[in-house]
């Protein structure tokens, strides 16, 4: 299920709803969609290794 985050430009209230739910209203106006935070951690060992060149197991390591 995809989630979308909205913020009211009038009062500042934030709300996260399902993407299928449509744009919510607050203060008699449609809320403005704001981007969700980007994940910054790797989900698995292979992804982690590709993002960290200083790792001893990195393919570019001179010890290989």
């Amino acid at each position: 299920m995809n989630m979308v985050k909205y913020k009211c430009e009038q009062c500042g209230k934030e709300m996260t709803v399902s993407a299928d739910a449509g744009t919510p209203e607050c203060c008699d106006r449609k809320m403005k969609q704001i981007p969700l935070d980007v994940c910054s951690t790797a989900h698995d060992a292979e992804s982690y290794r590709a993002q960290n060149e200083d790792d001893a197991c990195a393919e570019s390591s001179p010890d290989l």
Side-chain angles (χ1 to χ4, degrees), residues 32-43:
K32 183 178 179 182
Q33 184 176 346
I34 55 177
L36 294 174
D37 297 332
V38 178
C39 293
S40 61
T41 58
H43 296 284

Side-chain angles (χ1 to χ4, degrees), residues 12 30 50 53:
K30 288 196 175 203
E53 293 296 323

Side-chain angles (χ1 to χ4, degrees), residues 46-61:
E46 287 298 315
S47 297
Y48 177 81
R49 193 176 106 188
Q51 293 175 355
N52 294 292
E53 293 296 323
D54 294 337
D55 188 12
C57 296
E59 292 176 9
S60 62
S61 178

Side-chain angles (χ1 to χ4, degrees), residues 1 8-9 23 34 44 51-52 54 56:
M1 175 189 300
C8 177
E9 293 181 317
T23 305
I34 55 177
D44 58 31
Q51 293 175 355
N52 294 292
D54 294 337

